[in-house]
Structure formats: C-alpha cells, structure tokens
Amino acid sequence: MGINVKGLDDVLIALSRVRKRFRAEFYYTQYNIIEILGKLSRLNYDEDTVVRGLKIINDEFILTEPTIDGYIKALRLKRRGIQ
C-alpha cells in the first residue's frame, strides 16, 4: 500500500487461492483504510503503489460495516490484549 514489501505478491496470490479454493471471504471496513492511509502519510510512499493496493483491497476483500455488537466484541478482545 504505497511501499514495496518483499514477498507481498506471494501473499496476495496465496490469499486469492484460499479465497477461491475454500470459498473464504475476507472483509475490511473504511476504518482499516483510514488507518492504512494515516500510517502511509508518515512514510515516503509511491502514489501508484497506493492506488494498486487500494484496488487490490477493493477487488479481493468485501467492504463491511461493523455492528454495535461487533464494536463491543472488538473492545473486549482489545482489553484482553488481542490485536
């Protein structure tokens, strides 16, 4: 997402295979994107790579909106130290 990470293409290929073979679904929220952009803003990033990364997220993941129960579960997990 704006910086080149060694081995990232292999990971993306593996995720795609898992998604297709096992019909797995991967989700993201707009908050994940905001968090990524906040971190990238402090780095020397390549805008073309950011666009590519956003496109991959958009194409390979499903946008979802957290529910109140989801927020509470995340809060409980965070309290227990789960990232």
Side-chain angles (χ1 to χ4, degrees), residues 1-81:
M1 273 290 318
I3 57 173
N4 291 317
V5 177
K6 185 177 179 181
L8 180 61
D9 288 333
D10 294 335
V11 171
L12 293 173
I13 291 168
L15 280 175
S16 182
R17 286 181 182 157
V18 167
R19 186 175 55 81
K20 291 174 184 170
R21 184 171 181 198
F22 300 104
R23 298 180 190 224
E25 295 178 336
F26 301 102
Y27 295 88
Y28 74 100
T29 70
Q30 74 256 14
Y31 306 113
N32 300 118
I33 302 299
I34 292 168
E35 182 179 12
I36 290 167
L37 296 177
K39 290 179 180 185
L40 284 173
S41 70
R42 296 186 294 271
L43 301 173
N44 183 18
Y45 62 88
D46 175 69
E47 194 168 301
D48 291 333
T49 306
V50 173
V51 170
R52 179 174 172 250
L54 289 170
K55 182 167 177 21
I56 289 170
I57 290 170
N58 190 60
D59 293 347
E60 297 290 329
F61 296 79
I62 300 167
L63 178 63
T64 190
E65 289 294 324
T67 63
I68 291 172
D69 289 338
Y71 286 121
I72 297 303
K73 184 174 183 176
L75 181 62
R76 288 178 185 150
L77 291 172
K78 183 74 171 171
R79 179 184 291 164
R80 290 177 30 204

